[in-house]
Amino acid sequence: MIQVADREKRTQMARPAHATDHRRWLVLAVALTGTFLVIGGVSIVNLAMPSMQRTLNASFGEIELVVAAYTLVYAIFLIAGGRLGDIVGRKRVLMAGLAIITIGLVAGGLAPNATTLIGARVLQGFGSALLYPQILSIIEETFEGGERSLALGLFGATIGVALVAGQLIGGVLIQLDLGGLAWRPAMLVLAPVSTAALVAAAVVMSDTRSEGRPTLDYGGTVILGAALALLILPLLIGREAGWPLWLVAMLVASFPVFALFVWYEGRVERTGGHPLLTLGLFRQRAFATGIAIGLVYFVTALGFFVYTSVTLQIGLGFTALQAGLASAPSGVAFFFASLVAPRLVPGLGRHVLSLGYVILLAGMLAILASVHAAGTGLTVWTLAPALLIVGTGQGLAVSTLIGAVLSGIRPEDTGAAAGALTTSFQLGQTLGIALVGMVFFLAVGAEPAGTSHATRYLFAYQVTLPLLAGLAILLLLLVFLLPRPAPVARSNVFLERAPSHLHGLVHSFYFATGGRAGDHLMEHILRHHMAETLHHEASLGALQVEETPRETGEFLVHQFEHPGHSPTWHRYLLEEALVVGAGGPIPHETERRAVIDRQVAEVRDRQRERLIDPEFDAAALRLMAFALTHCPQLLPQITRMTTGHAPDSPEFHEQWDRFLRQLGARLSSSD
């Protein structure tokens, strides 16, 4: 119990100064503004791709790179950005992120050519990687109780609104063509918003950082960035460049650089450092499968949204506003399906994902049927029903994905696993633009000469949709590779272990949109709430001691007949035994040991009263009572917690043999 009190005291000491006055609501406004800049800004740029191509006279490979450069840089520096917040302070890193985003927005809005715009997007991606990982940690540190739930609800709503509003705001501004600037106002309008947030952060926020002060894996970050650049750049520009030898060489070189990254990360881990990616995670089936699901899903999602927008605007001549309105049904359906998903988890568990992917598959096929039937007469209203289906499937799948995956991860690895998974989501987006784009534009060029512009793009879209439907089927199959939770285990770690479904849903949204799991956050979601039961459990342990009959035989019978004094504790131990295994420590073991120590002390007290023979080993007698009353799967851990020895150690065998001889002699004398 002392450890829990100390941890709570440290948490209170770590709370920023603004958490106790009215400034906390201004801090929340800064955090929500940063959220909108990151999420909404991505939506706006995705919609503006055709307009950018026309006004900059750029190839579509260059415009794909405008989008991919952002997600690539964001993915590379995401974990580093989160750790920088832990090391140098969240306020400083958040403000640096806002400043870099502001510079990137201005440089992008004024860019005279595609190369400059790509560089501006690199800045925006780097700034977002610094900014976004700080937001949820700041909310967690600033608010408590009901205020925290309100703040989290507003944060989740901001993500949902930004996904839809970014498309609509961008569509309106591009459609108005203010001053003949086409897409530029849609990017420039965010610059004063970012500047205001930067000034407000400087005035109202106070700084916090992690007590642990983890180190940053500079080498791993550089090597991973090089490997991904060598892989992604050829995929984006190789088709239009005619695949010259230097691009082929880059693509081939990416594989040994990835191998170097694996070797380097293993070396960092072996020397006790903090690797960017913990390679041992891949030995856990839930993590390996989760990485595959994340990559495939976001390849599918980005490939669908980007090339739907391209087909509508470049192929069919939709205005940016019409294209934004066309995407709105899927965004609205996504948001509401995400709110429904937590209610389905208790009954369906991980198969909420399966349901989501089945609905996503149905939506893709419905769009294919709509396009085939309408042809060049396709309208916003023709697509709306199918897009509602797609958005529903995505909402069910995304909002429960990371929680379902982390439910199969060892508790001590959840923080590292969540960070790696969210990075894979961003990489999937980058690959989606590159790989789906290759298929799409190969199909555009495959149509015979003389075919109309609209017909060629519709043909390419109809070739791409079956590919995306096939990826939805692959996602459905991958769900069955996730380890099946034990009957007592949780089926979604965020939606069932979080203090409320709201907390779980918001954290899932955060990770799915590129957040990073900080130590404080994971402690709150996965472990901190357990501390709330410790005092109650210790009281039950004391009650069990007080109510136990004084006679030795009745003591054992009581242990057997009344194991339910601490049902939460027993369920907790069983879950941890199944996840952690027999050998390792379990979360809050010191506090839980207090209950066992109290019961061992009870045995010794009875020995002093001569109610139990003093030659009996008190710990072994308590262990025998536990063995008679509880699931055998718990015995290895309880053996270690009670006696201090592993069950397969010679010391334990010697102690246990001695106890059994004593017990046998006692029973023989009783006869």
Side-chain angles (χ1 to χ4, degrees), residues 159-160 163-164 297-298 300-301 304-305 327-345 348-361 363-364 386-404 425 475 492 495 501 504-510 512-513:
I159 294 176
L163 290 170
V164 179
Y297 172 78
F298 281 96
T300 307
F304 173 73
F305 282 121
S327 67
S330 63
V332 172
F334 177 94
F335 185 70
F336 284 103
S338 299
L339 298 178
V340 172
R343 301 180 182 275
L344 301 178
V345 167
L348 297 178
R350 61 180 178 156
H351 287 298
V352 174
L353 294 174
S354 303
L355 177 62
Y357 297 138
V358 168
I359 295 174
L360 177 60
L361 173 61
M364 295 292 183
L387 286 170
L388 281 170
I389 298 173
V390 169
T392 301
Q394 291 178 328
L396 293 176
V398 172
S399 62
T400 57
L401 172 56
I402 196 162
F425 296 168
L475 287 167
N492 190 295
L495 298 184
H501 280 174
L505 182 62
V506 168
H507 287 110
S508 294
F509 260 38
Y510 173 65
T513 53

Side-chain angles (χ1 to χ4, degrees), residues 97-360:
L98 284 169
I100 293 171
I101 288 174
T102 303
I103 295 170
L105 288 169
V106 174
L110 301 177
N113 52 53
T115 302
T116 305
L117 181 57
I118 291 168
R121 290 290 287 166
V122 167
L123 282 178
Q124 292 173 40
F126 182 60
S128 296
L130 297 179
L131 165 67
Y132 197 53
Q134 317 309 323
I135 291 174
L136 201 49
S137 292
I138 289 172
I139 291 175
E140 293 283 347
E141 292 169 346
T142 302
F143 296 94
E144 292 183 338
E147 287 188 347
R148 175 182 284 165
S149 294
L150 174 59
L152 286 172
L154 292 172
F155 172 70
T158 300
I159 294 176
V161 169
L163 290 170
V164 179
Q167 299 271 351
L168 298 180
I169 293 172
V172 169
L173 291 174
I174 296 169
Q175 179 74 22
L176 291 174
D177 192 20
L178 300 173
L181 295 176
W183 55 273
R184 297 178 189 276
M187 186 173 289
L188 290 171
V189 74
L190 297 177
V193 177
S194 181
T195 302
L198 176 61
V199 173
V203 174
V204 304
M205 290 183 65
S206 53
D207 217 351
T208 62
R209 67 186 69 186
S210 171
E211 289 188 4
R213 302 291 294 274
T215 58
L216 186 59
D217 181 9
Y218 295 101
T221 301
V222 171
I223 297 171
L224 178 61
L228 290 171
L230 289 170
L231 174 66
I232 298 298
L233 289 176
L235 294 177
L236 287 172
I237 65 177
R239 177 186 56 82
E240 291 186 345
W243 286 103
L245 183 60
W246 65 274
L247 279 178
V248 175
M250 284 181 64
L251 189 61
V252 172
S254 69
F255 296 100
V257 178
F258 275 118
L260 175 63
F261 173 73
V262 171
W263 173 84
Y264 182 84
E265 292 300 280
R267 179 175 175 271
V268 171
E269 190 173 355
R270 287 191 299 272
T271 56
H274 293 82
L276 199 65
L277 176 63
T278 304
L279 300 177
L281 289 170
F282 285 96
R283 291 192 290 270
Q284 300 183 52
R285 189 174 66 169
F287 177 78
T289 305
I291 287 285
I293 292 175
L295 283 170
V296 174
Y297 172 78
F298 281 96
V299 165
T300 307
L302 257 289
F304 173 73
F305 282 121
V306 166
Y307 296 103
T308 296
S309 179
V310 167
T311 300
L312 295 180
Q313 292 189 66
I314 296 180
L316 298 179
F318 279 36
T319 65
L321 178 57
Q322 288 174 319
L325 288 172
S327 67
S330 63
V332 172
F334 177 94
F335 185 70
F336 284 103
S338 299
L339 298 178
V340 172
R343 301 180 182 275
L344 301 178
V345 167
L348 297 178
R350 61 180 178 156
H351 287 298
V352 174
L353 294 174
S354 303
L355 177 62
Y357 297 138
V358 168
I359 295 174
L360 177 60

Side-chain angles (χ1 to χ4, degrees), residues 66-131:
V66 168
V67 178
Y70 174 92
T71 56
L72 181 60
V73 173
Y74 187 32
I76 291 170
F77 292 103
L78 178 60
I79 295 178
R83 288 187 181 169
L84 278 174
D86 295 336
I87 295 169
V88 305
R90 309 196 204 289
K91 174 183 176 180
R92 294 181 186 179
V93 177
L94 180 139
M95 289 181 61
L98 284 169
I100 293 171
I101 288 174
T102 303
I103 295 170
L105 288 169
V106 174
L110 301 177
N113 52 53
T115 302
T116 305
L117 181 57
I118 291 168
R121 290 290 287 166
V122 167
L123 282 178
Q124 292 173 40
F126 182 60
S128 296
L130 297 179
L131 165 67

Side-chain angles (χ1 to χ4, degrees), residues 573-598:
L573 288 173
L574 180 56
E575 290 176 5
E576 298 305 333
L578 294 173
V579 174
V580 179
I586 59 177
H588 298 295
E589 179 170 318
T590 302
E591 295 92 335
R592 298 291 174 176
R593 188 190 296 274
V595 179
I596 291 178
D597 290 344
R598 188 188 299 273

